[in-house]
Amino acid sequence: MIVVGHQFWWEFRYPQYNVVTANELHVPLSNSNAPRPTFLKLTSADVMHSFWVPQLAGKTDLLPNRVNEMWIDPLKPGLYVGQCAQFCGMQHAKMLLRVYVDTPTEFQSWIAIQQKAQHEIDADSAAGDSATHLQKAALGLTSTTSNVSTEPSAKEGQLVFERQACINCHTVAGTVANGRYGPDLTHLMTRSTLAAGAIPNTGEHLKEWIADPNQFKPGSLMPAMHLTDRQNSQITAYLLSLK
């Protein structure tokens, strides 16, 4: 696996699975009888950072134009927390990270989800909704009344997202968004936190983060986009669908 440090977040790449995620690293559980350590290659996209998860290993620096290596051999499943241990700028203290140690089955399930592009997830969801509708119809539970919601939909939110500068910095697999400067958002809602662990990943926090990142991380390199409330709600609805 490859770890890339950015101001002020973590990029995690799984080349053998063609998966890229951010801030929350998933690794398979090892076994004392048959060790299965996880090997990490570490580098930086900008300044010096340091990868440190105290319960798993000592800190290892991430340097621009250089690759350092380390390994971890976790024997207990669960969540392990860490952070950058090298001063890297104003938001160094909030460059947090999480390592989830999964059983081999859980890890493969997580990988399978991360490998899906958004249109594949949407198709699975639509198929499930259709099956549920048919079951309700068979039981006479469907309504013939048409309810038009005024709440923004994920579909219209995607259109707004793709017409803003968001796509210059972020990737959503299977869409026109292919930026590499900020975190990959393809499966954003599978993560527990936003802004490298600064806040819980909820709809309310997501909307506030889009409106003004500096209220949570002063000095964050993500700019306030000066969107209207409607545009913000639309983009938030779209991002909430990225599972």
Side-chain angles (χ1 to χ4, degrees):
M1 298 176 192
I2 299 172
V3 180
V4 183
H6 299 259
Q7 291 176 307
F8 301 95
W9 60 281
W10 303 93
E11 180 180 3
F12 299 124
R13 303 175 186 170
Y14 300 72
Q16 70 184 105
Y17 300 111
N18 194 30
V19 165
V20 179
T21 187
N23 301 319
E24 298 185 5
L25 178 68
H26 284 252
V27 301
L29 181 69
S30 187
N31 187 309
S32 57
N33 296 322
R36 185 184 179 180
T38 295
F39 292 89
L40 304 174
K41 293 185 176 181
L42 308 99
T43 190
S44 171
D46 37 53
V47 300
M48 184 176 178
H49 302 282
S50 191
F51 185 94
W52 185 41
V53 185
Q55 291 179 291
L56 296 180
K59 73 183 186 77
T60 301
D61 292 337
L62 292 81
L63 306 172
N65 302 315
R66 176 173 174 173
V67 176
N68 283 339
E69 297 184 1
M70 66 176 293
W71 57 273
I72 55 177
D73 190 34
L75 300 177
K76 292 183 179 180
L79 169 63
Y80 298 81
V81 295
Q83 68 178 87
C84 179
Q86 177 66 42
F87 182 73
C88 56
M90 183 180 293
Q91 280 304 316
H92 157 69
K94 289 186 179 178
M95 189 171 166
L96 310 175
L97 67 99
R98 293 178 166 223
V99 178
Y100 290 92
V101 177
D102 301 328
T103 65
T105 300
E106 291 171 340
F107 179 74
Q108 290 303 322
S109 296
W110 180 82
I111 286 291
I113 292 172
Q114 300 296 310
Q115 287 176 325
K116 289 187 176 183
Q118 195 56 41
H119 68 273
E120 296 176 290
I121 295 175
D122 292 342
D124 292 344
S125 178
D129 291 345
S130 178
T132 299
H133 179 78
L134 290 174
Q135 291 173 347
K136 289 183 176 180
L139 296 172
L141 299 177
T142 56
S143 171
T144 58
T145 303
S146 176
N147 295 317
V148 179
S149 174
T150 59
E151 292 297 315
S153 68
K155 187 173 182 180
E156 65 185 27
Q158 181 176 355
L159 293 176
V160 177
F161 178 86
E162 292 177 351
R163 291 170 181 169
Q164 300 295 326
C166 312
I167 63 175
N168 296 330
C169 292
H170 298 286
T171 289
V172 178
T175 75
V176 298
N178 61 359
R180 293 289 186 271
Y181 190 69
D184 189 304
L185 302 180
T186 304
H187 298 284
L188 174 64
M189 297 314 296
T190 64
R191 302 171 201 162
S192 300
T193 63
L194 294 170
I199 48 176
N201 188 6
T202 66
E204 181 179 356
H205 283 147
L206 186 57
K207 187 175 181 179
E208 293 173 346
W209 170 257
I210 296 169
D212 183 13
N214 276 280
Q215 66 182 305
F216 297 110
K217 294 184 77 167
S220 168
L221 300 187
M222 177 172 165
M225 299 301 295
H226 304 294
L227 303 168
T228 66
D229 288 342
R230 180 66 178 177
Q231 288 174 319
N232 196 340
S233 295
Q234 290 168 326
I235 291 178
T236 299
Y238 172 53
L239 295 180
L240 288 172
S241 74
L242 301 182
K243 301 177 180 178

